Every structure is written in structure tokens, then in C-alpha cells.
Amino acid sequence: MSPNFRIAVRFLLSKKRSMLMSLAGIVLGVGLFIVAQANTTGFEKLFIKTVLGANGAVRVQDKFQETLTSIQIEQEDTGRQFEFGRASGRKYRPGVEHADKVIESLYQFSNVLAASKVLRGAIDVSNNFKAEPAQLFGIEKDMHMLVSDLEEQIVFGSMLDFQRNPRGALVGLALAERMMIEPGDSILFTVGDESHRVLVSGIYETGYRDIDRERIFIDINQARRILKRPHQTSYIQVSLFDVEKADDDRYLMESVVQHIVAPWQEREKVWLQVFQAVRISAMISLSSIIFISGLGMFSTLAIIIMEKTREIAILRSIGYTRRDVTHIFIWQGFIVTVVGILMGWLTGATLTLVASRLPIRIRGIFSTDSFVVDWSIWHYVIAGLIAFIFVMTASIIPSRRAAKLEPGDVIRGTSG
Amino acid sequence: MTQTDKKPVLECKGLHRYLGDPEQRVHVLKGVDLQLFRGNTYAIVGPSGCGKSTLLYTLGLLDRQNEGTILVDGIDVSKSNEDQRTRIRNEKIGFVFQFHFLLPEFTTTENIMIPMWKRGNRKTLTMERRAHMLLQSVGLGDKTERLANRLSGGEQQRVAVARALANDPPIVLADEPTGNLDVKNSNIVFELLYQLSKRNNQAVLIVTHNPDIARRCDYILKMRDGVFTTPESAG
Ligand SMILES: Nc1ncnc2c1ncn2[C@@H]1O[C@H](COP(=O)(O)OP(=O)(O)O)[C@@H](O)[C@H]1O
Ligand SMILES: [Mg+2]
């Protein structure tokens, strides 16, 4: 054990109360920082999981053509095709063309896990209780399970029934509650002046209210018949092995499949930014607790140094250098910082565990019945780093001042 | 015993020291010459304010002279840097001041070990044994584990004497070491310094106002207004 460290420990213990105050500040700051990050990222991740589970990592929609080539095609081909959105030198046509070919090229990407066709259209749904507008989603029953979490989201009824029954439908919980629909009921879809009767196989809940209030899933071929859009595909829903890469993959995908590729990061930009803002503001406000404990450490050390001028003077006269004196006080800051960080980590982990058991019912953009937490080593690393930088900086400043003390001046002042 | 056939352990020549602000600085030391030899005890006496403490701090490398040279063990340390001076203080000079300057958080043994820790030339166990031996020799062999602030004033000053001897320095500088003590304790502390210097062959320089103590030293140096008024002479 170095003599400086030994002396530091004794000085520290002689100032227990003010050191404990600084320590408590660090522990509290680090602990709350961690639990806040665990919660904000926990909810953010649940939101992302909900979004991915409902809409997939990537959505391939609307065919586009570069404007230059499309002008030539217009001259040769007189076929009337609907065109819109002449932005940035491109023309867009809604929906996916040659969906099977597009899917084939999508599978060339090693990150693509599965791709499934979806046809979407507006309908009115009614039973003998009520009529409501709804969105009909025609899906490939087997493939869709690979690009969504629909299977896990069934809350009433059965998936098996849905898969076996060609006329089976899945209704969102919010819509079902409003219309008092139960599994086994038959409901009526109306498009234009035609009506079709289908059977409710099950009720699902994603937790995302906009979805649960309007989406009804049905086999894609049934949907094409009901909506009178044979062979059409509105978009292709794609799941990825590594969802984080969705944003990186998109440009290459777009140029290969010549359709708009919408990754989840872009589709949910607004909500993701909200989560980020909450996370950062929690980070800033809790860093300020750590900052204040840094100030506490600063004043504690400054007071110790003022009270210990005699001790510093004698240490200097019996052979301790200015550097030794600085180290003696920096060690004190270091010990409090490290103990504070370790205890803060423990506090953070405990609070996170407690929070994860707190009941809270949230529906709207996701569904949960308790606080959601995310366990990440990074929260601990960042909290530790912030505490280390703040408190050590606060310790170094008075410690360097202690070294400036002239032993002769102090000793002269003590004799008559 | 003649001094000239031995090398002085501490020597200064033409020492000048000014103190205070540049505008109204005080010429405190006005060309002090001094030679100290091992095994001798020296008393500096003189009126308050004549520069005794200033001389002691300067000789002890706690303060820097404006002019003149200081030699420790024959080596000129006048121009040494801070770290070298600090190291010389640790190895060659023991200090006793009017105030004991013990660290209250440490035991008597530890207080004596603090200079040894810094020097680091002994094993911890040897340091501890040496500290106990020193405490024994200042009559505190039964208070080795006592915290420094749990001792009487006389006892504290005796620990300070033991601490000054921790690294067995050839030079001991004492600035009014008995100034805060009653007659009985003054005598004990002085006798310790005197006897130990003989036993350890050290040069001991004591600043004192106590004529009794001055008389018992081997030499008395009278100081007035920043210079010695008498040549070094036997007391
Ligand atoms: N910091 C200082 N500034 C100006 N003068 C000082 C300072 N310190 C000491 N002095 C003066 O230097 C002289 C010598 O002081 P000192 O060495 O303490 O005397 P002594 O120990 O003999 O009583 C005194 O006149 C004192 O007033
Ligand atoms: Mg004095």
C-alpha cells in the first residue's frame, strides 16, 4: 500500500460525515440514472418490438421509375397508367408490381429473413349491433407469421382456426370491443354495394391503438375477391435477421427492386424521436444530480485541505513532495468516486428490478401491464463514466491547490 | 575535540534572506556563516524577531535563501530543485517545532513511520520495530498504539522528537521545541534531544529562549538582528 493511499484513507475516515454526503449524492445520481435509462430504453424497445411485430422491419411499397427512363417508355408505350408524385426525378405508382419477382430479389439479401405479400383496402364492417369503417388486410396466412408477431398477439379465439378456415378473420381488440364481436361470430364486410360474410376466428391485440381499432386480417385471396383487386399487392412486409441494419439496407434494396423501401426507423421517426428526447432529458437531469455531488466533493475536499494545512506542512517538511500531497487528496476523491459508482450500480440494479415488478397498464402505442425495463451494461458504463469525470475533476482542483501550500509559511504561523 | 579536523555536516556561508512584500521587504538574515558538526548540540539564542526561525527554515530547506550557500554533508544544495530538497529533508534532516504537528488520525507508531514510509528503505515490519524502539527511547514504549491526539502535550512533543529521528538523519533542527511545555517536560524533551544526538552522533541545532537549556548545549550561538554576534564557542 503506498504511503499516500494510506494517509488518504485516514484523512477520509476523519471526515466521515461530509464524505458520506458526497457519497450518497453519487450513489443516488448513478442509481437513478441507471433506472431512468433502463425504463426509457425498456419502453422504447417494447415500442420497437410492437412496431416490428405489426408492420415488419421493412415495407416494400410503391413502384418507382427514374424520370429519364420513364419518358422514353411513355413515347413507345401508349398504355394509360396512373402516375403521381413526381418528386426528385422519380415517378411513383402505388402498389407492388410483379410481387413474386420482387420477393425473389429480396431473398438475395442475406439479411432478409422472410417477405410476405399484403393487400390493403377500406371496407365497412357490420354485425347486428353496429357498423364501423375498417381496413381489410389480406395476408398470406403462413408467410405472414414469419414477418409479424400476429401469432403471439391473439388474445381470444384461435390461430389454428384462422389458418384452417379460408373465410376466417382476425379482428383487433379495440374494434371487437366496440362492436361486441367475439370469436365464432359472423360479421359482414361491405365494399361498394356488395357484402361478404366472414367468420371471426380470433381477436388480436398489438397494443398499438391505431392498429387494434381498424385492422382486420383475412386470407389475401379472399381479400382480392372482396376488394375486387385480383392479383394485386399493396406492399410486401419484410422481416430481417438484423433489424438495426434496415436503414442501411434500404438504398441497395430500392435500386434492386425499383420500389420504395420503407425501413421501420423512418416509418416511426416521430415516436422514436419522442423516446430519444425523453431518454436524453432523463440523462441530463440525472447527470445534474451527479454534477451536484461533484460540487459537494469539491467543497468537502476544500474544507479538509483548509483544516489540514498543518498536516500538509509537516508532511512536506518530513519529505513528502508537492505531488505526494496532490495524490493524497486525489486518492480521497478517487476512493469516494469508486465506492459511489459501485454502490450506485447496485442501487440502480435494485431499483430496476423493483421497477420491473411495478404494475402499470399502458395501451396506445404498445401494450404492457408492468413497467418495462431494459438491462444494458451501457447504462452502467455511461453512469459510471459521468460520475467518474465529474467527481474526479472536482477532486483534482482542490488537490492541486493543496500542493501549492508553503510549509515554511504554515509552520511560522504556528510559533510565537 | 577540535572541529576543524572533521567535515561539517551542515554549513552555510553568507546567508541572506529578505521577507515580506517587494516594496517593504525586511532584511532578516544579513550574511550568516555557520558550521555544524556531528555529535554536537548547538543552541541559538537571541531576541524575538532577530531571525532565528528564518535561519532554521532556510537551513532546513523549507525556505530558500536570497544569497549564500548551504552545504549538507559537503554537498551544495543551494541550487537544488524542489524534489531534491524534499528528498534531503526526508533523509538528512529531522525537524522538531514548537507545535508537535502530529497527524491526529494516526497512532504514535504510525506517526513515526510516516517519514519512513516515504523513504521506503525498510520493510514494514522493520519500520514498525524501529518506531517502537524510538518510542521506547523517548519513554513512550507503553503507548505505541495510542492515537496521537490522545496524548498529553509533553508526550506529543516526545513523539515529535522520535519522528524527527525516524530516518536516522545526521541533522536535527529544533525551533523552540520546549516553548509550549512546562519545566518538567521541557527538561525531558531537551535531555532526549541531547542524549540521542550523542548516541546517534547527530548535529542538533536548538532555537530556544530558555537560558537553562541553552547553557546545557555544547555551543551557544547568540544572534542579533540577522547575524551571529559571538563566534561559535563552548557553553
Ligand atoms: N512573511 C513575513 N513578511 C515580513 N516580515 C517577516 C515575515 N516573517 C517574518 N518576518 C520578520 O522577520 C523577522 C525574523 O522573524 P523570525 O525568524 O521568525 O524571528 P525569530 O524566530 O528570531 O523570533 C521578524 O522581524 C519578523 O517580523
Ligand atoms: Mg521564531
Side-chain angles (χ1 to χ4, degrees), chain B residues 147-166:
Chain B
L147 279 178
N149 56 4
R150 296 267 184 281
L151 296 172
S152 74
E155 288 172 331
Q156 285 173 328
Q157 198 61 326
R158 275 142 72 188
V159 177
V161 170
R163 182 184 58 197
L165 304 175

Side-chain angles (χ1 to χ4, degrees), chain A residues 146-163:
Chain A
L146 295 178
V147 297
S148 75
D149 293 336
L150 192 56
E151 204 163 0
E152 299 160 25
Q153 290 159 348
I154 303 294
V155 285
F156 300 112
S158 103
M159 195 68 196
L160 204 66
D161 186 68
F162 174 67
Q163 270 162 335

Side-chain angles (χ1 to χ4, degrees), chain A residues 19 50 55 78 147 166-167 183 224 237 245 346 360:
Chain A
M19 282 297 182
T50 305
N55 292 333
T78 51
V147 297
R167 287 159 60 88
R224 282 172 176 157
Q237 186 160 325
K245 291 220 183 89
L346 205 68
I360 179 177

Side-chain angles (χ1 to χ4, degrees), chain A residues 412 415-416, chain B residues 48-49 51-54 57 98 175-176 207 209:
Chain A
R412 186 187 290 277
S415 58
Chain B
S48 185
K52 305 181 295 296
S53 296
T54 308
Y57 301 154
Q98 186 172 347
D175 189 5
E176 302 189 36
V207 172
H209 282 302

Side-chain angles (χ1 to χ4, degrees), chain A residues 3-4 6-8 10-11 14 308-324 406-408 410-416, chain B residues 19 53-54 57 62-63 82-83 86-87 89-90 93 95 97-107 110 113-115 117-118 124 163 175-176:
Chain A
N4 295 345
R6 230 186 261 230
I7 296 167
R10 288 296 169 85
F11 280 4
S14 76
K308 292 228 174 285
T309 49
R310 290 177 170 191
E311 281 83 352
I312 294 168
I314 194 68
L315 285 170
R316 293 277 290 115
S317 46
I318 62 183
Y320 286 76
T321 61
R322 291 189 195 281
R323 212 171 318 115
D324 289 326
E406 285 298 340
V410 177
I411 292 164
R412 186 187 290 277
T414 60
S415 58
Chain B
L19 286 174
S53 296
T54 308
Y57 301 154
L62 290 171
D63 196 1
E82 275 270 348
D83 281 359
T86 306
R87 194 182 160 135
R89 288 202 298 271
N90 180 242
I93 304 171
F95 289 99
F97 302 104
Q98 186 172 347
F99 180 74
H100 56 78
F101 286 109
L102 298 179
L103 302 196
E105 301 83 7
F106 290 85
T107 64
E110 287 167 333
M113 286 168 75
I114 289 171
W117 289 342
K118 181 57 202 172
T124 306
R163 182 184 58 197
D175 189 5
E176 302 189 36

Side-chain angles (χ1 to χ4, degrees), chain A residues 30 33-42 44-45 279 283 345 348-349 352 372-384:
Chain A
V30 169
F33 185 99
I34 287 169
V35 73
Q37 291 307 303
N39 269 312
T40 50
T41 41
E44 183 177 9
K45 283 195 172 172
R279 188 152 43 88
M283 207 181 264
W345 283 350
T352 306
V372 185
V373 300
D374 174 49
W375 295 91
S376 164
I377 187 83
W378 287 108
H379 303 153
Y380 294 75
V381 171
I382 291 168

Side-chain angles (χ1 to χ4, degrees), chain A residues 10 15 109 225 235 286 368 377 381 385 395-396:
Chain A
R10 288 296 169 85
K15 264 295 187 206
F109 288 85
R225 198 166 54 80
Y235 62 86
L286 292 164
T368 181
I377 187 83
V381 171
L385 269 179
S395 308
I396 286 168

